[in-house]
Amino acid sequence: LRFGMGLGKSVVELTGEAAADLKLTRGAHLVVATAAQWDRLSRRWRKRQAVQRTRLVVVDDVHLVGGQEGPRLEVVCSRMRFMGAQIHAADKLQAEADAAEAGRPKPRSADLPPPLRIVALAAPVANSRDMAEWLGVPASARFAFHPSARPQPLDLRIQAFDVPNAQARLAAMARPCYAHISARCATPQAAREAAWAPSSSSSSSSSSSS
């Protein structure tokens, strides 16, 4: 909404209906979608110009790749990376062919259309290096922010949970985490308003923070 009002850009939110979503994306500058919605829309990306025109993909909560919706999120990220590489290679071949036909030198990388970029946002993860390699992110573009960089201070406490099953592990984490939050809150009202959002993980042990 801020992009649309402040910058004069067309912002649309997908509905999950293929026909309606195709119409929405044709003239949009920014598309907001869930992983499931974009998965359905991008499966036939070779025949959909609106999807091919994508130059930036921002993936939020990419740490959920280890959870229940992880396979779909993984497919979407891998597909967009593959699509970006294919389109960039085709653009390069076309530019070189045009230059050869006109008798010009081969174009430089800076003269080609920019390749698709993927910006992945995640909560703290133990295998950030592996995730970055999977997404093709070089070490210079991988960032890990210290808790002191948060706008609100973060009280970090580590507690291991040796529960292999992801859903059972989240359930085991809930009680001690809520007990700690309640103890830290000054009033019962603050305790009721405290919120904790656990994230899924594929590892056998996890930690909780408040």
Side-chain angles (χ1 to χ4, degrees):
L1 184 60
R2 292 180 181 178
F3 283 97
M5 297 178 60
L7 301 178
K9 300 298 182 180
S10 174
V11 182
V12 299
E13 184 176 356
L14 298 189
T15 63
E17 296 292 335
D21 289 343
L22 284 174
K23 293 180 180 179
L24 288 173
T25 55
R26 284 170 186 166
H29 297 98
L30 179 64
V31 177
V32 180
T34 64
Q37 292 170 344
W38 192 251
D39 178 31
R40 286 191 292 266
L41 191 68
S42 62
R43 287 178 186 175
R44 302 175 61 187
W45 64 268
R46 295 183 185 275
K47 297 183 178 181
R48 293 174 174 173
Q49 295 293 328
V51 179
Q52 294 180 23
R53 289 197 301 268
T54 304
R55 287 293 177 264
L56 173 64
V57 178
V58 180
V59 186
D60 196 13
D61 291 337
V62 74
H63 56 276
L64 296 179
V65 73
Q68 187 174 3
E69 293 296 323
R72 176 167 287 171
L73 184 60
E74 182 177 357
V75 165
V76 169
C77 293
S78 298
R79 180 186 299 136
M80 296 309 296
R81 186 185 176 193
F82 176 79
M83 186 195 78
Q86 292 290 307
I87 293 177
H88 188 61
D91 290 341
K92 182 179 180 180
L93 289 175
Q94 185 62 45
E96 291 177 350
D98 294 342
E101 184 178 354
R104 300 191 306 266
K106 289 185 177 182
R108 301 172 301 173
S109 298
D111 299 329
L112 298 174
L116 181 143
R117 297 173 55 210
I118 298 179
V119 177
L121 309 174
V125 292
N127 58 338
S128 61
R129 182 177 301 176
D130 295 335
M131 296 183 70
E133 292 178 354
W134 162 53
L135 294 172
V137 179
S140 58
R142 186 175 70 244
F143 303 97
F145 299 97
H146 191 270
S148 61
R150 296 170 57 91
Q152 296 294 331
L154 177 67
D155 179 18
L156 185 63
R157 294 173 181 246
I158 306 298
Q159 180 175 342
F161 293 85
D162 189 14
V163 182
N165 182 269
Q167 297 301 323
R169 183 167 61 251
L170 291 178
M173 292 167 64
R175 184 181 295 276
C177 187
Y178 182 78
H180 173 69
I181 294 175
S182 300
R184 298 283 294 182
C185 292
T187 63
Q189 178 65 24
R192 288 193 296 270
E193 294 176 353
W196 172 59
S199 59
S200 300
S201 173
S202 58
S203 60
S204 61
S205 62
S206 301
S207 61
S208 62
S209 60
S210 59

